[in-house]
Short mmCIF file of all heavy atoms in Angstrom, two decimals:
data_model
loop_
_atom_site.label_atom_id
_atom_site.label_comp_id
_atom_site.label_asym_id
_atom_site.label_seq_id
_atom_site.Cartn_x
_atom_site.Cartn_y
_atom_site.Cartn_z
N MET Q 1 -42.95 15.39 -50.01
CA MET Q 1 -41.77 15.14 -50.77
C MET Q 1 -40.63 15.96 -50.18
O MET Q 1 -40.83 17.08 -49.75
CB MET Q 1 -42.02 15.52 -52.23
CG MET Q 1 -41.30 14.58 -53.12
SD MET Q 1 -41.11 15.04 -54.77
CE MET Q 1 -42.50 14.82 -55.67
N SER Q 2 -39.45 15.41 -50.18
CA SER Q 2 -38.32 16.11 -49.58
C SER Q 2 -37.75 17.14 -50.55
O SER Q 2 -37.98 17.09 -51.75
CB SER Q 2 -37.23 15.11 -49.19
OG SER Q 2 -36.66 14.56 -50.35
N ALA Q 3 -36.98 18.07 -50.00
CA ALA Q 3 -36.36 19.10 -50.82
C ALA Q 3 -35.36 18.49 -51.78
O ALA Q 3 -35.19 18.96 -52.90
CB ALA Q 3 -35.69 20.14 -49.93
N ARG Q 4 -34.70 17.44 -51.36
CA ARG Q 4 -33.71 16.80 -52.22
C ARG Q 4 -34.35 16.21 -53.48
O ARG Q 4 -33.82 16.31 -54.57
CB ARG Q 4 -32.99 15.71 -51.44
CG ARG Q 4 -31.89 15.06 -52.23
CD ARG Q 4 -31.13 14.10 -51.36
NE ARG Q 4 -30.07 13.49 -52.16
CZ ARG Q 4 -29.62 12.29 -52.00
NH1 ARG Q 4 -30.10 11.52 -51.05
NH2 ARG Q 4 -28.67 11.80 -52.75
N ALA Q 5 -35.49 15.57 -53.32
CA ALA Q 5 -36.19 15.01 -54.47
C ALA Q 5 -36.64 16.11 -55.42
O ALA Q 5 -36.61 15.94 -56.63
CB ALA Q 5 -37.38 14.18 -54.02
N ASP Q 6 -37.06 17.27 -54.88
CA ASP Q 6 -37.48 18.37 -55.73
C ASP Q 6 -36.30 18.93 -56.52
O ASP Q 6 -36.44 19.30 -57.67
CB ASP Q 6 -38.10 19.49 -54.89
CG ASP Q 6 -39.44 19.07 -54.32
OD1 ASP Q 6 -40.08 18.18 -54.92
OD2 ASP Q 6 -39.85 19.63 -53.29
N GLU Q 7 -35.13 18.99 -55.91
CA GLU Q 7 -33.95 19.51 -56.59
C GLU Q 7 -33.53 18.61 -57.74
O GLU Q 7 -33.06 19.08 -58.77
CB GLU Q 7 -32.78 19.65 -55.61
CG GLU Q 7 -32.99 20.72 -54.56
CD GLU Q 7 -31.91 20.71 -53.50
OE1 GLU Q 7 -30.98 19.89 -53.62
OE2 GLU Q 7 -32.01 21.50 -52.56
N GLU Q 8 -33.66 17.32 -57.57
CA GLU Q 8 -33.24 16.38 -58.60
C GLU Q 8 -34.28 16.24 -59.70
O GLU Q 8 -34.01 15.65 -60.73
CB GLU Q 8 -32.96 15.01 -57.98
CG GLU Q 8 -31.79 15.01 -57.03
CD GLU Q 8 -31.61 13.68 -56.34
OE1 GLU Q 8 -32.42 12.77 -56.61
OE2 GLU Q 8 -30.69 13.56 -55.54
N GLY Q 9 -35.46 16.75 -59.48
CA GLY Q 9 -36.50 16.67 -60.50
C GLY Q 9 -37.22 15.34 -60.49
O GLY Q 9 -37.88 15.00 -61.45
N ASP Q 10 -37.08 14.56 -59.44
CA ASP Q 10 -37.78 13.27 -59.37
C ASP Q 10 -39.26 13.50 -59.13
O ASP Q 10 -39.66 14.38 -58.39
CB ASP Q 10 -37.24 12.41 -58.23
CG ASP Q 10 -35.84 11.89 -58.51
OD1 ASP Q 10 -35.47 11.87 -59.70
OD2 ASP Q 10 -35.14 11.52 -57.56
N THR Q 11 -40.06 12.67 -59.78
CA THR Q 11 -41.50 12.69 -59.53
C THR Q 11 -41.89 11.36 -58.95
O THR Q 11 -41.11 10.41 -58.96
CB THR Q 11 -42.27 12.95 -60.84
OG1 THR Q 11 -42.01 11.86 -61.72
CG2 THR Q 11 -41.86 14.26 -61.48
N GLU Q 12 -43.09 11.28 -58.47
CA GLU Q 12 -43.56 10.01 -57.90
C GLU Q 12 -43.60 8.92 -58.95
O GLU Q 12 -43.37 7.77 -58.68
CB GLU Q 12 -44.94 10.19 -57.27
CG GLU Q 12 -44.90 10.87 -55.93
CD GLU Q 12 -46.24 10.83 -55.25
OE1 GLU Q 12 -46.95 9.81 -55.42
OE2 GLU Q 12 -46.57 11.78 -54.56
N GLU Q 13 -43.89 9.27 -60.19
CA GLU Q 13 -43.97 8.28 -61.25
C GLU Q 13 -42.62 7.64 -61.53
O GLU Q 13 -42.55 6.48 -61.88
CB GLU Q 13 -44.52 8.92 -62.52
CG GLU Q 13 -45.97 9.35 -62.39
CD GLU Q 13 -46.47 10.03 -63.64
OE1 GLU Q 13 -45.83 9.87 -64.70
OE2 GLU Q 13 -47.48 10.72 -63.57
N SER Q 14 -41.54 8.37 -61.39
CA SER Q 14 -40.24 7.82 -61.70
C SER Q 14 -39.71 6.90 -60.60
O SER Q 14 -38.74 6.20 -60.81
CB SER Q 14 -39.23 8.93 -61.96
OG SER Q 14 -39.02 9.67 -60.78
N THR Q 15 -40.35 6.90 -59.44
CA THR Q 15 -39.88 6.04 -58.35
C THR Q 15 -40.45 4.63 -58.43
O THR Q 15 -39.98 3.75 -57.74
CB THR Q 15 -40.22 6.65 -56.98
OG1 THR Q 15 -41.63 6.79 -56.88
CG2 THR Q 15 -39.53 7.99 -56.81
N TRP Q 16 -41.46 4.41 -59.25
CA TRP Q 16 -42.04 3.08 -59.37
C TRP Q 16 -41.13 2.20 -60.21
O TRP Q 16 -40.58 2.61 -61.21
CB TRP Q 16 -43.43 3.15 -60.02
CG TRP Q 16 -44.43 3.82 -59.15
CD1 TRP Q 16 -44.88 5.09 -59.26
CD2 TRP Q 16 -45.08 3.25 -58.01
NE1 TRP Q 16 -45.79 5.35 -58.27
CE2 TRP Q 16 -45.93 4.25 -57.49
CE3 TRP Q 16 -45.03 2.02 -57.39
CZ2 TRP Q 16 -46.71 4.03 -56.37
CZ3 TRP Q 16 -45.82 1.81 -56.29
CH2 TRP Q 16 -46.64 2.79 -55.79
N ARG Q 17 -41.01 0.95 -59.79
CA ARG Q 17 -40.14 0.02 -60.50
C ARG Q 17 -40.84 -0.59 -61.72
O ARG Q 17 -40.20 -0.86 -62.73
CB ARG Q 17 -39.71 -1.10 -59.54
CG ARG Q 17 -38.76 -2.06 -60.16
CD ARG Q 17 -38.23 -3.01 -59.14
NE ARG Q 17 -37.32 -3.95 -59.78
CZ ARG Q 17 -36.77 -4.95 -59.20
NH1 ARG Q 17 -37.01 -5.17 -57.94
NH2 ARG Q 17 -35.97 -5.76 -59.84
N PHE Q 18 -42.15 -0.84 -61.62
CA PHE Q 18 -42.89 -1.46 -62.70
C PHE Q 18 -44.01 -0.54 -63.15
O PHE Q 18 -44.58 0.19 -62.35
CB PHE Q 18 -43.50 -2.81 -62.25
CG PHE Q 18 -42.46 -3.80 -61.80
CD1 PHE Q 18 -42.26 -4.05 -60.46
CD2 PHE Q 18 -41.69 -4.46 -62.72
CE1 PHE Q 18 -41.31 -4.96 -60.05
CE2 PHE Q 18 -40.73 -5.37 -62.32
CZ PHE Q 18 -40.55 -5.62 -60.98
N ALA Q 19 -44.34 -0.62 -64.41
CA ALA Q 19 -45.48 0.14 -64.92
C ALA Q 19 -46.77 -0.60 -64.57
O ALA Q 19 -46.76 -1.79 -64.24
CB ALA Q 19 -45.36 0.29 -66.44
N VAL Q 20 -47.87 0.10 -64.66
CA VAL Q 20 -49.16 -0.49 -64.28
C VAL Q 20 -49.50 -1.69 -65.16
O VAL Q 20 -50.06 -2.68 -64.70
CB VAL Q 20 -50.27 0.58 -64.35
CG1 VAL Q 20 -51.64 -0.03 -64.11
CG2 VAL Q 20 -50.00 1.68 -63.34
N ASP Q 21 -49.15 -1.64 -66.44
CA ASP Q 21 -49.50 -2.74 -67.34
C ASP Q 21 -48.59 -3.95 -67.18
O ASP Q 21 -48.81 -4.98 -67.79
CB ASP Q 21 -49.51 -2.27 -68.79
CG ASP Q 21 -48.17 -1.74 -69.24
OD1 ASP Q 21 -47.31 -1.45 -68.38
OD2 ASP Q 21 -47.97 -1.60 -70.46
N GLU Q 22 -47.54 -3.86 -66.34
CA GLU Q 22 -46.65 -5.00 -66.12
C GLU Q 22 -47.06 -5.85 -64.93
O GLU Q 22 -46.46 -6.89 -64.68
CB GLU Q 22 -45.22 -4.50 -65.92
CG GLU Q 22 -44.63 -3.86 -67.15
CD GLU Q 22 -43.25 -3.31 -66.90
OE1 GLU Q 22 -42.96 -2.93 -65.74
OE2 GLU Q 22 -42.46 -3.26 -67.84
N VAL Q 23 -48.04 -5.42 -64.16
CA VAL Q 23 -48.51 -6.16 -63.00
C VAL Q 23 -50.02 -6.32 -63.07
O VAL Q 23 -50.69 -5.61 -63.80
CB VAL Q 23 -48.11 -5.45 -61.68
CG1 VAL Q 23 -46.62 -5.42 -61.51
CG2 VAL Q 23 -48.66 -4.04 -61.62
N GLY Q 24 -50.55 -7.26 -62.31
CA GLY Q 24 -51.99 -7.45 -62.26
C GLY Q 24 -52.49 -8.37 -63.35
O GLY Q 24 -51.76 -9.19 -63.90
N GLU Q 25 -53.75 -8.21 -63.67
CA GLU Q 25 -54.40 -9.10 -64.63
C GLU Q 25 -53.87 -8.91 -66.05
O GLU Q 25 -53.89 -9.83 -66.86
CB GLU Q 25 -55.91 -8.87 -64.62
CG GLU Q 25 -56.56 -9.23 -63.31
CD GLU Q 25 -58.04 -8.89 -63.30
OE1 GLU Q 25 -58.56 -8.44 -64.33
OE2 GLU Q 25 -58.67 -9.08 -62.25
N ASP Q 26 -53.42 -7.70 -66.39
CA ASP Q 26 -52.96 -7.41 -67.74
C ASP Q 26 -51.49 -7.74 -67.95
O ASP Q 26 -50.95 -7.49 -69.02
CB ASP Q 26 -53.17 -5.93 -68.05
CG ASP Q 26 -54.65 -5.56 -68.03
OD1 ASP Q 26 -55.47 -6.45 -68.29
OD2 ASP Q 26 -54.97 -4.40 -67.74
N ALA Q 27 -50.85 -8.29 -66.96
CA ALA Q 27 -49.42 -8.58 -67.05
C ALA Q 27 -49.16 -9.72 -68.03
O ALA Q 27 -49.94 -10.65 -68.14
CB ALA Q 27 -48.87 -8.95 -65.68
N PRO Q 28 -48.04 -9.65 -68.75
CA PRO Q 28 -47.70 -10.75 -69.65
C PRO Q 28 -47.29 -11.98 -68.85
O PRO Q 28 -46.83 -11.87 -67.72
CB PRO Q 28 -46.53 -10.20 -70.46
CG PRO Q 28 -45.95 -9.11 -69.64
CD PRO Q 28 -47.08 -8.55 -68.83
N GLU Q 29 -47.47 -13.13 -69.45
CA GLU Q 29 -47.10 -14.38 -68.79
C GLU Q 29 -45.58 -14.47 -68.65
O GLU Q 29 -44.86 -14.16 -69.59
CB GLU Q 29 -47.60 -15.58 -69.59
CG GLU Q 29 -49.10 -15.72 -69.60
CD GLU Q 29 -49.67 -16.04 -68.23
OE1 GLU Q 29 -49.03 -16.81 -67.48
OE2 GLU Q 29 -50.74 -15.52 -67.91
N PRO Q 30 -45.08 -14.88 -67.48
CA PRO Q 30 -43.63 -15.01 -67.32
C PRO Q 30 -43.09 -16.18 -68.14
O PRO Q 30 -43.80 -17.15 -68.41
CB PRO Q 30 -43.44 -15.27 -65.83
CG PRO Q 30 -44.74 -15.82 -65.37
CD PRO Q 30 -45.79 -15.21 -66.25
N GLU Q 31 -41.83 -16.07 -68.54
CA GLU Q 31 -41.21 -17.14 -69.30
C GLU Q 31 -40.98 -18.34 -68.38
O GLU Q 31 -40.59 -18.17 -67.24
CB GLU Q 31 -39.88 -16.68 -69.88
CG GLU Q 31 -40.01 -15.57 -70.89
CD GLU Q 31 -38.65 -15.15 -71.42
OE1 GLU Q 31 -37.71 -15.95 -71.36
OE2 GLU Q 31 -38.56 -14.02 -71.88
N THR Q 32 -41.23 -19.52 -68.89
CA THR Q 32 -41.00 -20.72 -68.09
C THR Q 32 -39.54 -21.15 -68.22
O THR Q 32 -38.93 -20.99 -69.28
CB THR Q 32 -41.91 -21.87 -68.54
OG1 THR Q 32 -41.67 -22.13 -69.92
CG2 THR Q 32 -43.39 -21.52 -68.34
N ILE Q 33 -39.01 -21.67 -67.15
CA ILE Q 33 -37.64 -22.17 -67.15
C ILE Q 33 -37.71 -23.69 -67.14
O ILE Q 33 -38.23 -24.30 -66.22
CB ILE Q 33 -36.88 -21.67 -65.91
CG1 ILE Q 33 -36.84 -20.14 -65.93
CG2 ILE Q 33 -35.48 -22.24 -65.88
CD1 ILE Q 33 -36.23 -19.55 -64.68
N ASP Q 34 -37.21 -24.30 -68.20
CA ASP Q 34 -37.23 -25.75 -68.32
C ASP Q 34 -36.00 -26.34 -67.63
O ASP Q 34 -34.89 -25.84 -67.79
CB ASP Q 34 -37.24 -26.16 -69.78
CG ASP Q 34 -38.50 -25.70 -70.49
OD1 ASP Q 34 -39.55 -25.65 -69.84
OD2 ASP Q 34 -38.42 -25.38 -71.69
N PRO Q 35 -36.19 -27.42 -66.86
CA PRO Q 35 -35.04 -28.04 -66.21
C PRO Q 35 -34.14 -28.73 -67.24
O PRO Q 35 -34.61 -29.26 -68.23
CB PRO Q 35 -35.67 -29.06 -65.26
CG PRO Q 35 -36.99 -29.36 -65.86
CD PRO Q 35 -37.44 -28.10 -66.56
N GLY Q 36 -32.86 -28.67 -66.97
CA GLY Q 36 -31.91 -29.33 -67.85
C GLY Q 36 -31.43 -30.62 -67.21
O GLY Q 36 -31.78 -30.96 -66.08
N SER Q 37 -30.63 -31.37 -67.93
CA SER Q 37 -30.10 -32.60 -67.37
C SER Q 37 -28.80 -32.29 -66.63
O SER Q 37 -28.00 -31.48 -67.10
CB SER Q 37 -29.85 -33.63 -68.47
OG SER Q 37 -28.93 -33.09 -69.41
N PRO Q 38 -28.59 -32.89 -65.47
CA PRO Q 38 -27.37 -32.61 -64.70
C PRO Q 38 -26.14 -33.17 -65.40
O PRO Q 38 -26.19 -34.23 -66.02
CB PRO Q 38 -27.62 -33.31 -63.36
CG PRO Q 38 -28.63 -34.34 -63.65
CD PRO Q 38 -29.46 -33.84 -64.78
N THR Q 39 -25.05 -32.44 -65.29
CA THR Q 39 -23.79 -32.92 -65.86
C THR Q 39 -23.01 -33.66 -64.78
O THR Q 39 -23.29 -33.53 -63.58
CB THR Q 39 -22.95 -31.76 -66.40
OG1 THR Q 39 -22.61 -30.90 -65.31
CG2 THR Q 39 -23.70 -30.98 -67.46
N LEU Q 40 -22.03 -34.43 -65.20
CA LEU Q 40 -21.21 -35.18 -64.25
C LEU Q 40 -20.47 -34.23 -63.31
O LEU Q 40 -20.37 -34.48 -62.11
CB LEU Q 40 -20.22 -36.07 -65.01
CG LEU Q 40 -19.29 -36.91 -64.14
CD1 LEU Q 40 -20.09 -37.87 -63.28
CD2 LEU Q 40 -18.28 -37.64 -65.00
N GLU Q 41 -19.98 -33.13 -63.84
CA GLU Q 41 -19.25 -32.16 -63.02
C GLU Q 41 -20.14 -31.60 -61.92
O GLU Q 41 -19.72 -31.50 -60.75
CB GLU Q 41 -18.75 -31.02 -63.91
CG GLU Q 41 -17.95 -29.98 -63.16
CD GLU Q 41 -17.49 -28.85 -64.05
OE1 GLU Q 41 -17.94 -28.77 -65.21
OE2 GLU Q 41 -16.67 -28.05 -63.58
N ASN Q 42 -21.36 -31.24 -62.24
CA ASN Q 42 -22.29 -30.71 -61.23
C ASN Q 42 -22.61 -31.76 -60.18
O ASN Q 42 -22.68 -31.45 -58.98
CB ASN Q 42 -23.56 -30.21 -61.89
CG ASN Q 42 -23.34 -28.98 -62.74
OD1 ASN Q 42 -22.35 -28.26 -62.56
ND2 ASN Q 42 -24.24 -28.74 -63.66
N ALA Q 43 -22.83 -32.98 -60.59
CA ALA Q 43 -23.14 -34.06 -59.65
C ALA Q 43 -21.98 -34.32 -58.70
O ALA Q 43 -22.18 -34.54 -57.50
CB ALA Q 43 -23.50 -35.32 -60.41
N VAL Q 44 -20.75 -34.25 -59.21
CA VAL Q 44 -19.57 -34.47 -58.35
C VAL Q 44 -19.48 -33.37 -57.30
O VAL Q 44 -19.22 -33.65 -56.12
CB VAL Q 44 -18.29 -34.52 -59.21
CG1 VAL Q 44 -17.05 -34.44 -58.35
CG2 VAL Q 44 -18.27 -35.78 -60.04
N PHE Q 45 -19.71 -32.13 -57.67
CA PHE Q 45 -19.64 -31.05 -56.70
C PHE Q 45 -20.76 -31.14 -55.65
O PHE Q 45 -20.54 -30.83 -54.48
CB PHE Q 45 -19.67 -29.69 -57.39
CG PHE Q 45 -18.34 -29.28 -57.94
CD1 PHE Q 45 -18.13 -29.17 -59.30
CD2 PHE Q 45 -17.28 -29.00 -57.09
CE1 PHE Q 45 -16.91 -28.80 -59.81
CE2 PHE Q 45 -16.04 -28.64 -57.58
CZ PHE Q 45 -15.85 -28.53 -58.95
N VAL Q 46 -21.93 -31.57 -56.05
CA VAL Q 46 -23.02 -31.76 -55.08
C VAL Q 46 -22.65 -32.87 -54.10
O VAL Q 46 -22.80 -32.73 -52.88
CB VAL Q 46 -24.35 -32.07 -55.80
CG1 VAL Q 46 -25.41 -32.54 -54.81
CG2 VAL Q 46 -24.84 -30.84 -56.54
N LEU Q 47 -22.15 -33.99 -54.60
CA LEU Q 47 -21.77 -35.10 -53.73
C LEU Q 47 -20.61 -34.70 -52.81
O LEU Q 47 -20.58 -35.09 -51.64
CB LEU Q 47 -21.40 -36.32 -54.55
CG LEU Q 47 -22.58 -36.97 -55.29
CD1 LEU Q 47 -22.06 -38.11 -56.17
CD2 LEU Q 47 -23.62 -37.47 -54.32
N LEU Q 48 -19.67 -33.92 -53.32
CA LEU Q 48 -18.57 -33.43 -52.50
C LEU Q 48 -19.08 -32.53 -51.37
O LEU Q 48 -18.64 -32.64 -50.23
CB LEU Q 48 -17.56 -32.67 -53.36
CG LEU Q 48 -16.32 -32.15 -52.66
CD1 LEU Q 48 -15.48 -33.30 -52.13
CD2 LEU Q 48 -15.51 -31.29 -53.62
N GLY Q 49 -20.03 -31.69 -51.67
CA GLY Q 49 -20.63 -30.83 -50.66
C GLY Q 49 -21.37 -31.62 -49.59
O GLY Q 49 -21.28 -31.32 -48.40
N VAL Q 50 -22.09 -32.64 -50.02
CA VAL Q 50 -22.81 -33.50 -49.06
C VAL Q 50 -21.82 -34.24 -48.17
O VAL Q 50 -22.00 -34.33 -46.95
CB VAL Q 50 -23.73 -34.49 -49.82
CG1 VAL Q 50 -24.27 -35.56 -48.88
CG2 VAL Q 50 -24.86 -33.75 -50.51
N LEU Q 51 -20.75 -34.75 -48.76
CA LEU Q 51 -19.72 -35.47 -48.00
C LEU Q 51 -19.05 -34.55 -46.98
O LEU Q 51 -18.90 -34.92 -45.81
CB LEU Q 51 -18.69 -36.07 -48.95
CG LEU Q 51 -17.54 -36.83 -48.29
CD1 LEU Q 51 -18.07 -38.08 -47.61
CD2 LEU Q 51 -16.48 -37.17 -49.32
N LEU Q 52 -18.65 -33.37 -47.40
CA LEU Q 52 -18.00 -32.44 -46.48
C LEU Q 52 -18.94 -31.98 -45.37
O LEU Q 52 -18.53 -31.85 -44.21
CB LEU Q 52 -17.46 -31.23 -47.24
CG LEU Q 52 -16.24 -31.50 -48.12
CD1 LEU Q 52 -15.87 -30.26 -48.92
CD2 LEU Q 52 -15.07 -31.97 -47.27
N THR Q 53 -20.19 -31.76 -45.69
CA THR Q 53 -21.17 -31.38 -44.67
C THR Q 53 -21.35 -32.50 -43.66
O THR Q 53 -21.41 -32.27 -42.45
CB THR Q 53 -22.52 -31.03 -45.32
OG1 THR Q 53 -22.32 -29.98 -46.27
CG2 THR Q 53 -23.52 -30.58 -44.28
N GLY Q 54 -21.41 -33.74 -44.15
CA GLY Q 54 -21.52 -34.88 -43.24
C GLY Q 54 -20.30 -35.01 -42.34
O GLY Q 54 -20.44 -35.30 -41.14
N LEU Q 55 -19.12 -34.78 -42.89
CA LEU Q 55 -17.90 -34.84 -42.07
C LEU Q 55 -17.87 -33.75 -41.00
O LEU Q 55 -17.44 -33.98 -39.87
CB LEU Q 55 -16.66 -34.75 -42.96
CG LEU Q 55 -16.36 -35.98 -43.80
CD1 LEU Q 55 -15.20 -35.69 -44.76
CD2 LEU Q 55 -16.05 -37.18 -42.92
N ILE Q 56 -18.34 -32.58 -41.35
CA ILE Q 56 -18.38 -31.48 -40.37
C ILE Q 56 -19.34 -31.81 -39.25
O ILE Q 56 -19.03 -31.62 -38.06
CB ILE Q 56 -18.77 -30.16 -41.07
CG1 ILE Q 56 -17.63 -29.69 -41.97
CG2 ILE Q 56 -19.14 -29.09 -40.06
CD1 ILE Q 56 -17.98 -28.53 -42.86
N PHE Q 57 -20.52 -32.34 -39.57
CA PHE Q 57 -21.47 -32.74 -38.52
C PHE Q 57 -20.92 -33.88 -37.69
O PHE Q 57 -21.11 -33.91 -36.46
CB PHE Q 57 -22.83 -33.12 -39.13
CG PHE Q 57 -23.69 -31.94 -39.47
CD1 PHE Q 57 -24.15 -31.75 -40.77
CD2 PHE Q 57 -24.04 -31.01 -38.52
CE1 PHE Q 57 -24.94 -30.67 -41.10
CE2 PHE Q 57 -24.85 -29.91 -38.83
CZ PHE Q 57 -25.28 -29.74 -40.13
N TYR Q 58 -20.24 -34.82 -38.31
CA TYR Q 58 -19.67 -35.94 -37.58
C TYR Q 58 -18.58 -35.45 -36.62
O TYR Q 58 -18.53 -35.89 -35.47
CB TYR Q 58 -19.09 -36.97 -38.58
CG TYR Q 58 -18.45 -38.16 -37.90
CD1 TYR Q 58 -19.23 -39.15 -37.33
CD2 TYR Q 58 -17.06 -38.29 -37.87
CE1 TYR Q 58 -18.64 -40.24 -36.71
CE2 TYR Q 58 -16.47 -39.37 -37.25
CZ TYR Q 58 -17.27 -40.35 -36.67
OH TYR Q 58 -16.68 -41.43 -36.06
N ALA Q 59 -17.74 -34.53 -37.08
CA ALA Q 59 -16.68 -34.00 -36.22
C ALA Q 59 -17.28 -33.16 -35.09
O ALA Q 59 -16.80 -33.22 -33.95
CB ALA Q 59 -15.73 -33.15 -37.04
N ALA Q 60 -18.33 -32.42 -35.35
CA ALA Q 60 -18.97 -31.61 -34.32
C ALA Q 60 -19.66 -32.49 -33.29
O ALA Q 60 -19.59 -32.22 -32.09
CB ALA Q 60 -19.97 -30.65 -34.95
N ALA Q 61 -20.29 -33.57 -33.73
CA ALA Q 61 -20.97 -34.47 -32.79
C ALA Q 61 -19.96 -35.26 -31.98
O ALA Q 61 -20.19 -35.57 -30.82
CB ALA Q 61 -21.90 -35.40 -33.55
N GLY Q 62 -18.80 -35.55 -32.56
CA GLY Q 62 -17.78 -36.31 -31.86
C GLY Q 62 -17.08 -35.49 -30.78
O GLY Q 62 -16.56 -36.04 -29.82
N SER Q 63 -17.09 -34.17 -30.93
CA SER Q 63 -16.42 -33.33 -29.94
C SER Q 63 -17.30 -33.01 -28.75
O SER Q 63 -16.86 -32.38 -27.80
CB SER Q 63 -15.94 -32.03 -30.59
OG SER Q 63 -17.06 -31.26 -31.00
N LEU Q 64 -18.57 -33.43 -28.78
CA LEU Q 64 -19.47 -33.14 -27.66
C LEU Q 64 -19.21 -33.99 -26.49
O LEU Q 64 -18.89 -34.89 -26.10
CB LEU Q 64 -20.93 -33.30 -28.09
CG LEU Q 64 -21.39 -32.27 -29.11
CD1 LEU Q 64 -22.84 -32.61 -29.51
CD2 LEU Q 64 -21.35 -30.88 -28.55
#
């Protein structure tokens, strides 16, 4: 252990991110995330992104 860690009073136990009971076989089941229905606004932005990406590839291929 470094001198700096000793000065701050850190122990090895405080450096762990998860407790023993949060991982392994005894861990609680994670919450499931249910998919939602897409909104019109989200669909428009996805289509806009696809269109712009296609235009960029088309312009890059045309300059070759």
Side-chain angles (χ1 to χ4, degrees):
M1 216 195 282
S2 68
R4 184 174 180 212
D6 290 335
E7 292 172 2
E8 295 175 359
D10 289 340
T11 63
E12 283 189 35
E13 293 178 18
S14 65
T15 60
W16 292 102
R17 183 172 179 185
F18 300 104
V20 174
D21 60 345
E22 294 177 331
V23 295
E25 295 176 3
D26 297 333
E29 292 294 323
E31 296 180 23
T32 58
I33 300 174
D34 297 327
S37 59
T39 63
L40 180 62
E41 181 182 10
N42 291 340
V44 167
F45 279 113
V46 168
L47 292 175
L48 183 64
V50 169
L51 179 67
L52 288 175
T53 303
L55 288 174
I56 290 171
F57 280 122
Y58 179 75
S63 67
L64 293 177

